[in-house]
Amino acid sequence: MLDFIPSLPIASWVDDAVKWVTNTFEFFFDPVKDNFGWLLDISAEYLSMIPPVIVILLVAVLAFFMSGKKLGLAVFSIIGLLFIENQELWSELMYTFTLVLYSSLLAVVIGIPVGILMSKSNTAESIIRPILDFMQTMPAFVYLIPAVAFFGIGMVPGVFASFIFATPPVVRFTNLGIRQVSTELVEASDAFGATGQQKLFKVELPMAKPTIMAGVNQTIMLSLSMVVIASMIGASGLGRDVLSALQRAEAGAGFVAGFAIVILAIIIDRLTQNFNKSNQ
C-alpha cells in the first residue's frame, strides 16, 4: 500500500552505530570488562567463602532489628536461606546477589544525581523523560545485544544490561520526590539565606527521602528481575540454573531455582522497605 515510500535502513544504521561505538571506545570497554569482571568474580567468591550459617544469622539479626524487633522477617529469612543452602544453590545465590548489588549501586549512584538535575530544570526533564520512557518500554532482551558487543560474555554485560533496565525508577522517584517538597519549606529556607546546595541537602533531599527510597527499592527489584535474562549472556547465578532447566525441560530444577530467586527478592524487598520506615 505504501510501496512508493522507500524503506528506511534503521537496522543497518543501528548496527553501524554499535560497531562504531565498540571500535572507537574499545580502549574503555576492554579495561572495564577485565577489571570490573575481576571485581565481580572476586566479590562473589569471597561471599561464597563465608560459612552459610554465619550469613544466615547476620541476615536474620539485620531483619529482626530493621523490622522493629519483629520475628516474622527474621524467621522467614532463616527458613528461606536454609532452604537455598539445602538445595546446594548457595554459591549461585552469592553470584546473583553480587550482580544485583553492583547493578543497583551503579543505578542509584547515577540515577539520583540525574533525578536531581531533572527536578531543578524543566528543560532537562523534558529531554530526559522520553529517554526514560524508552529505557522502560524497550524489551529487556534488546539490552543484551549492545551489552555483548561492548563487553563480551559474562557477568559484566549482565550488570550493564541490568543497570540500564533498572535505572529509570530511581531517576523518576528522585525527580518526583524533590518536586513534591512543600513550597513553604523551600521559601522558608530561601528567606533564611540558604544557598542552593544547603537547600538541596538540608531541606529537599531529607523531605524527599521516602519517595527516593521507594525508587531505590524498585530499582533493586528490577535488577533482580534481570537475573534470568542476564544468564543468557553468560552471567552466573540462579538465573543460569533457571535457563538450564528451561533448555532441558526440567520443571523441578527450574522451580527450585526460581523459588530461590523469589526468596532473595522478598528478603531484599522487605529489608529496603523497613530501612525506609525506620528512617522516617
Side-chain angles (χ1 to χ4, degrees):
M1 183 176 178
L2 298 176
D3 292 339
F4 63 91
I5 300 178
S7 176
L8 295 176
I10 302 297
S12 299
W13 293 346
V14 174
D15 287 339
D16 292 340
V18 171
K19 290 177 182 177
W20 180 84
V21 172
T22 303
N23 294 329
T24 304
F25 296 98
E26 185 178 5
F27 69 92
F28 171 76
F29 294 136
D30 286 347
V32 169
K33 179 179 70 175
D34 295 336
N35 297 319
F36 192 44
W38 173 84
L39 177 62
L40 292 170
D41 289 336
I42 203 70
S43 298
E45 289 174 6
Y46 274 123
L47 287 173
S48 299
M49 290 171 59
I50 303 174
V53 174
I54 294 178
V55 175
I56 292 171
L57 289 176
L58 288 175
V59 173
V61 170
L62 182 64
F64 177 72
F65 284 103
M66 290 188 66
S67 60
K69 297 184 178 180
K70 297 178 181 178
L71 289 174
L73 181 57
V75 172
F76 175 83
S77 300
I78 293 173
I79 296 174
L81 294 176
L82 283 175
F83 168 80
I84 296 174
E85 166 61 16
N86 176 262
Q87 297 299 306
E88 299 181 352
L89 292 173
W90 191 260
S91 178
E92 289 78 2
L93 176 69
M94 293 299 102
Y95 272 94
T96 297
F97 178 73
T98 300
L99 188 150
V100 173
L101 175 65
Y102 280 99
S103 58
S104 299
L105 281 175
L106 285 173
V108 170
V109 168
I110 295 176
I112 290 179
V114 174
I116 293 173
L117 174 63
M118 288 179 65
S119 70
K120 297 297 181 181
S121 170
N122 291 329
T123 302
E125 184 183 31
S126 64
I127 295 172
I128 297 173
R129 186 182 293 276
I131 298 174
L132 296 178
D133 294 338
F134 176 86
M135 292 169 66
Q136 285 189 291
T137 54
M138 177 67 70
F141 290 95
V142 177
Y143 295 129
L144 303 183
I145 302 172
V148 171
F150 298 156
F151 301 107
I153 300 295
M155 288 282 284
V156 175
V159 170
F160 173 80
S162 300
F163 156 72
I164 296 297
F165 184 69
T167 299
V170 71
V171 177
R172 291 185 186 277
F173 276 72
T174 300
N175 175 39
L176 178 66
I178 293 177
R179 285 181 178 272
Q180 287 183 337
V181 173
S182 172
T183 306
E184 289 78 8
L185 287 175
V186 176
E187 291 175 350
S189 64
D190 289 332
F192 282 100
T195 63
Q197 184 176 351
Q198 290 173 330
K199 183 167 61 176
L200 175 65
F201 288 101
K202 302 275 186 187
V203 178
E204 293 173 329
L205 285 179
M207 295 300 298
K209 186 176 180 181
T211 305
I212 295 173
M213 286 303 301
V216 171
N217 175 269
Q218 292 301 304
T219 288
I220 295 173
M221 291 298 101
L222 285 178
S223 295
L224 193 52
S225 72
M226 282 290 291
V227 166
V228 177
I229 297 175
S231 68
M232 299 177 66
I233 54 175
S236 302
L238 295 167
R240 179 179 291 181
D241 289 67
V242 175
L243 181 63
S244 176
L246 174 63
Q247 293 170 339
R248 300 176 183 177
E250 296 176 345
F255 173 80
V256 171
F259 190 56
I261 294 174
V262 171
I263 292 171
L264 178 62
I266 292 174
I267 292 174
I268 293 177
D269 178 62
R270 298 302 184 272
L271 286 176
T272 53
Q273 286 187 12
N274 286 320
F275 175 78
N276 186 20
K277 292 178 181 178
S278 64
N279 284 276
Q280 289 183 8

